[in-house]
Amino acid sequence: MSEVISAAVAALNEKLSGEDMDFTAKFAIEDEGEIFVSSDGARPAEEGDEADVTLSADVETFQDMLSGDLNPTTAFMTGKLSVDGDMGAAMKLGSVLG
């Protein structure tokens, strides 16, 4: 597992602590791997993990969203973040991150 994925899993678990998640999500980070997020928290994605929504971005965009330097909605509107699946779940996750 890459350092980027390890750091992102830790940061996501901190941000998601205490949040009530009624959906699953997957973050696909270009050239690094994927992270699966559910009501159990964040972890590196495993083969076969099915998510309600998949968000794809490059490393810089993902790190900027986690740090709060980039609003997920802005990232989506400017083409830096792509969303595949349940847009409602993406919006809920964006409000937790942003």
Side-chain angles (χ1 to χ4, degrees):
M1 172 174 27
S2 77
E3 286 184 34
V4 170
I5 296 293
S6 296
V9 165
L12 280 167
N13 278 321
E14 189 174 310
K15 284 187 174 279
L16 296 171
S17 178
E19 293 291 329
D20 183 28
M21 298 224 355
D22 59 352
F23 59 91
T24 57
K26 198 183 300 185
F27 286 102
I29 306 170
E30 192 174 292
D31 298 325
E32 294 294 335
E34 296 181 332
I35 298 167
F36 185 77
V37 180
S38 69
S39 59
D40 295 330
R43 63 170 171 75
E46 298 172 359
E47 191 172 325
D49 280 338
E50 296 283 331
D52 297 319
V53 64
T54 300
L55 298 96
S56 304
D58 63 22
V59 173
E60 183 180 343
T61 299
F62 185 72
Q63 289 173 331
D64 286 350
M65 287 189 309
L66 276 182
S67 68
D69 291 338
L70 178 62
N71 180 289
T73 302
T74 302
F76 176 73
M77 297 302 250
T78 58
K80 293 182 177 183
L81 174 69
S82 65
V83 177
D84 183 32
D86 185 343
M87 188 58 82
M91 305 262 307
K92 288 178 189 176
L93 189 57
S95 69
V96 171
L97 296 179

